[in-house]
Amino acid sequence: MQPDHVRIFDTTLRDGEQSPGATMTSSEKLEVAKTLSRLGVDVIEAGFAAASDDDLRAVKTIAEAVGVTGVEGRPIPEPPTICSLARAHKSDIDKAAEAVAPAKRGRIHTFIATSPIHREHKLRMSKAEVLAKITEMVSYARSFCDDVEFSPEDAGRTEMEFLYEDIPDTVGYTIPVEFGERIAMLRQNVPGIDNAVISVHCHDDLGMAVANSLSAVVNGARQVEVAVNGIGERAGNASLEEVVMALHVRRDLFGIGTHVDTTQLTRASRLVSKVTGMIVQPNKAIVGANAFAHEAGIHQDGMLKHEETYEIMRPETVGAGTTQLILGKHSGRHAFANRLTELGYSVSGDGLNKAFARFKKLADKKKHITDADLLALLSDELYQPKEFWRLDAIQVGCGTGMPTATVKLTGPDGQTQTSAEVGTGPVDAAYKAIQNLVHVPCSLLEYTVQSVTEGIDALGEVSVRVSTDDNEAPPGKLNPQYEHSRARVFHGHGAHTDVIVASAKAYIAAINRILAIREGTQAASAAAGSAA
C-alpha cells in the first residue's frame, strides 16, 4: 500500500559525510541523528557499516539510542527507521544487519551499479550477471530483516527495462522532465509496482537534484533521499530543507506532504554546518542567512505594508527567527524610519531627513549597517550642538616622519577656510589645524576611541572632553579638577568609518558646544541690558 505522505530518507550521515572534509565523530553523528529524529524524518541512513569498525559502532549506537524509542519532541510517535548502506556483498550485508539489529525498525540498503558504463568499466559484468547478483543479495538481506531497499546505482543512465524500485541519479545526469518520465514509465510497466515504494536519490551535478526529486514525486515516487544543507558527494544531494518546504508551501500543487516538523529545519542546518565545517552560503534557500533578509528599499517598503509581498513563507515556519530588514545603501526611508522607531527614537521632518542623509553616506562605506551603527549615527546627529563650524574635508599624513594634517572647514559666515599643521601624530596635527581656523583656545583633557561594531569596516566612535578658561562663561559651581577658576569642561562626539575623521568631528563638536554656550550667554546679557 502506498504511503499517504512522502517519506523523507535522510542520508546526511552516510552520503553527506562523504563530502570531502565533512567526516564526523561518533558523538557528532549521534547528535545529528537525534536532531534528525526530532525533525521527523522517516529514515536515517546512519552510515556504511562495512566501511570501518568505527562506522559499524556509530550505526549501532544510533540504532540503540534513536532507533528504539526516537527522541523527545519527535512529531510522530514511532521512532525513525535506522538504515545502513551495504554493497551487494554478503560481508557488507552481514555488517549492516549487525549494526541495525537493535533498532525497532531496521533497514538494509544494498546497491549495485546498473548503467552500461558501470557494468562494462567498473563491474565488468553482463546484465544477466548483475541481475543474478541482485536477486541473490536482496534475498540474503531479507533473511536478516523485512525492510530491504535496493538501489540500481547510476539509474539515470541505465536502460529503462533494467530498472527496478529505487531510482538513483547517481551522477546528476538527468533533467526534471526526463527523470519524471522515467518514474512514470516504471509505474506503467513494472508488474506489482504499487506494492513497492519508489524512492529517488538525486545528485546535484547540474544543479537539478531538488527539481528532479520533485518531478519524481509528481509522477508517483513516495520516498525522497536527501541530506541536510544538500551536502554529499561532489556537488551534493537533494537538499532536505528545500524538498520539504517545496512540498509544504506548494501543497496545492503536489497534493501531498511530509511528517517533518519544519520549525526544526534551521536548527538542523546549523548543527550539520557546525559538525562538518561546511558553511551554508548566505543565499542558500530556506536556511541561508539571507533567505529572509531584505535590503532593497522597494522590498522593505512592501514588507512593512504586507509580509506576503516578498515572502512566500514565514521565517518562523522554518525556525529562522524573524524577517530581517537589512539596512544598507539600497534601503529606503520607510525601513530606516521604522528601525529608528523600533530602537525607541522618534525622528521626523528635517531631523529624519538629515539622519537619513548621513545614513546613506555611511551605507556607501559599509556593506551592512548594524543597530549599534545606527545608535552611534543618531547620537552624532541628534545630540550635536548648533553647527558653527563644519568639517568639509581632512587629509592626514603619518608615519615615522612628520605627521601632518590639512583641514577644510566652513565657518559661521558660510565661508570655507583651509589650514595645515604638523603634530606629534595625525590627531594632534588635525586639532592644531582646526585651532588655526576656529580660534577657540581649549585644552584636550580626554580622548577616547572605540569600535562600535566588528569587522574591517567598523564604525569608529570618538569622544573628547576639553576645558577652556572662558571669561564669557556665566558664574557657577567651580570644578575642582581644573586649576583655572573660570575653567569649564565641554564634550564632543564623532562617528565615522575613518577614526581620524571621527576625531576631527568630535573636536569640532566640542568647539561648537563652547560657541553655543557663549552665544547663549551673550543673548542672556543682551536681554538683561534691555530690561534694565
Side-chain angles (χ1 to χ4, degrees):
M1 182 178 177
Q2 290 294 316
D4 59 0
H5 70 286
V6 175
R7 293 180 179 178
I8 297 299
F9 177 112
D10 184 89
T11 187
T12 304
L13 297 173
R14 199 276 301 169
D15 199 326
E17 197 196 19
Q18 292 173 203
S19 303
T23 301
M24 295 175 249
T25 65
S26 295
S27 60
E28 288 172 338
K29 285 184 178 182
L30 180 58
E31 186 61 28
V32 171
K34 289 179 178 178
T35 297
L36 292 172
S37 179
R38 193 175 294 111
L39 189 63
V41 303
D42 299 275
V43 183
I44 297 175
E45 188 168 48
F48 195 162
S52 69
D53 290 340
D54 185 61
D55 278 77
L56 190 152
R57 282 193 299 271
V59 176
K60 193 170 186 178
T61 299
I62 291 169
E64 293 169 342
V66 179
V68 177
T69 59
V71 298
E72 184 179 353
R74 180 171 169 79
I76 49 180
E78 294 294 339
T81 296
I82 306 300
C83 175
S84 175
L85 187 67
R87 291 169 298 182
H89 300 313
K90 285 188 174 181
S91 58
D92 276 27
I93 293 172
D94 288 339
K95 297 288 187 182
E98 178 186 350
V100 303
K104 181 177 180 180
R105 289 182 169 83
R107 176 182 295 184
I108 297 173
H109 180 190
T110 188
F111 71 96
I112 192 170
T114 55
S115 67
I117 193 167
H118 278 251
R119 294 196 309 262
E120 179 182 351
H121 297 288
K122 188 175 77 172
L123 300 178
R124 298 184 179 177
M125 295 170 67
S126 66
K127 282 185 181 180
E129 290 173 323
V130 170
L131 285 173
K133 191 71 170 178
I134 292 170
T135 302
E136 179 188 4
M137 291 301 104
V138 170
S139 297
Y140 185 66
R142 284 292 299 273
S143 69
F144 293 101
C145 64
D146 293 333
D147 192 345
V148 175
E149 178 173 337
F150 169 71
S151 290
E153 185 185 6
D154 200 19
R157 295 187 294 179
T158 299
E159 305 95 318
M160 281 305 304
E161 69 276 7
F162 203 51
L163 294 180
Y164 178 69
E165 288 192 18
D166 180 271
I167 318 298
D169 182 23
T170 307
V171 293
Y173 179 73
T174 60
I175 62 174
V177 171
E178 178 184 14
F179 199 67
E181 287 177 350
R182 285 183 166 245
I183 303 302
M185 290 175 67
L186 278 173
R187 294 190 66 201
Q188 293 169 9
N189 296 291
V190 176
I193 193 68
D194 289 339
N195 296 321
V197 175
I198 298 177
S199 179
V200 290
H201 180 121
C202 299
H203 279 260
D204 210 35
D205 296 69
L206 292 177
M208 289 184 280
V210 170
N212 282 340
S213 299
L214 295 172
S215 179
V217 169
V218 169
N219 286 279
R222 286 298 176 263
Q223 178 174 286
V224 179
E225 304 192 7
V226 293
V228 176
N229 297 336
I231 65 174
E233 286 276 7
R234 303 180 314 282
N237 293 278
S239 162
L240 181 151
E241 55 277 4
E242 292 177 27
V243 169
V244 166
M245 288 309 295
L247 294 172
H248 178 83
V249 173
R250 294 309 311 274
R251 189 153 189 157
D252 62 313
L253 174 65
F254 294 102
I256 192 167
T258 71
H259 285 159
V260 168
D261 177 1
T262 62
T263 65
Q264 298 290 320
L265 289 171
T266 299
R267 175 182 177 181
S269 169
R270 290 173 179 169
L271 173 63
V272 170
S273 177
K274 182 182 74 172
V275 301
T276 62
M278 300 188 71
I279 304 301
V280 176
Q281 71 268 28
N283 63 326
K284 170 74 168 63
I286 315 300
V287 294
N290 293 347
F292 298 96
H294 308 264
E295 182 177 334
I298 293 174
H299 287 225
Q300 291 178 338
D301 182 61
M303 286 295 298
L304 288 169
K305 291 173 178 174
H306 197 289
E307 294 162 343
E308 290 184 12
T309 52
Y310 289 101
E311 282 188 350
I312 62 171
M313 68 192 98
R314 300 296 301 135
E316 296 87 351
T317 306
V318 299
T322 58
T323 294
Q324 299 177 62
L325 299 185
I326 303 300
L327 293 179
K329 68 177 183 178
H330 301 296
S331 298
R333 190 184 308 270
H334 190 175
F336 177 72
N338 182 75
R339 189 62 190 139
L340 296 188
T341 300
E342 291 175 345
L343 291 172
Y345 289 85
S346 179
V347 187
S348 60
D350 190 52
L352 176 61
N353 293 336
K354 288 182 178 179
F356 184 66
R358 291 200 61 196
F359 159 74
K360 280 291 192 178
K361 288 182 180 179
L362 177 61
D364 282 335
K365 297 180 175 67
K366 293 196 67 178
K367 290 184 178 180
H368 176 49
I369 309 298
T370 68
D371 286 349
D373 290 325
L374 283 181
L375 292 174
L377 182 149
L378 283 173
S379 177
D380 202 26
E381 181 66 38
L382 300 179
Y383 304 116
Q384 293 289 13
K386 178 180 177 180
E387 194 174 62
F388 293 89
W389 291 91
R390 183 182 73 244
L391 177 68
D392 292 324
I394 182 170
Q395 184 71 41
V396 300
C398 54
T400 56
M402 293 187 298
T404 60
T406 302
V407 298
K408 182 187 291 186
L409 307 181
T410 295
D413 57 1
Q415 298 298 310
T416 298
Q417 302 179 52
T418 302
S419 174
E421 268 291 352
V422 176
T424 57
V427 174
D428 181 55
Y431 285 6
K432 287 179 178 177
I434 291 170
Q435 273 296 342
N436 287 343
L437 301 176
V438 302
H439 304 296
V440 179
C442 57
S443 300
L444 181 65
L445 302 175
E446 293 179 11
Y447 172 86
T448 305
V449 60
Q450 63 179 349
S451 172
V452 175
T453 53
E454 298 179 352
I456 196 170
D457 61 352
L459 193 67
E461 193 171 33
V462 174
S463 296
V464 299
R465 286 164 61 85
V466 302
S467 68
T468 177
D469 185 8
D470 196 342
N471 291 324
E472 297 184 63
K477 187 177 181 180
L478 301 182
N479 189 332
Q481 294 185 62
Y482 308 111
E483 57 180 324
H484 302 298
S485 60
R486 305 293 294 166
R488 298 194 67 193
V489 177
F490 300 85
H491 73 275
H493 172 273
H496 198 274
T497 51
D498 186 321
V499 70
I500 302 300
V501 176
S503 299
K505 291 177 68 176
Y507 192 67
I508 292 171
I511 297 294
N512 283 333
R513 189 162 273 107
I514 294 171
L515 295 175
I517 294 294
R518 285 184 180 178
E519 183 181 61
T521 302
Q522 292 169 355
S525 297
S530 298

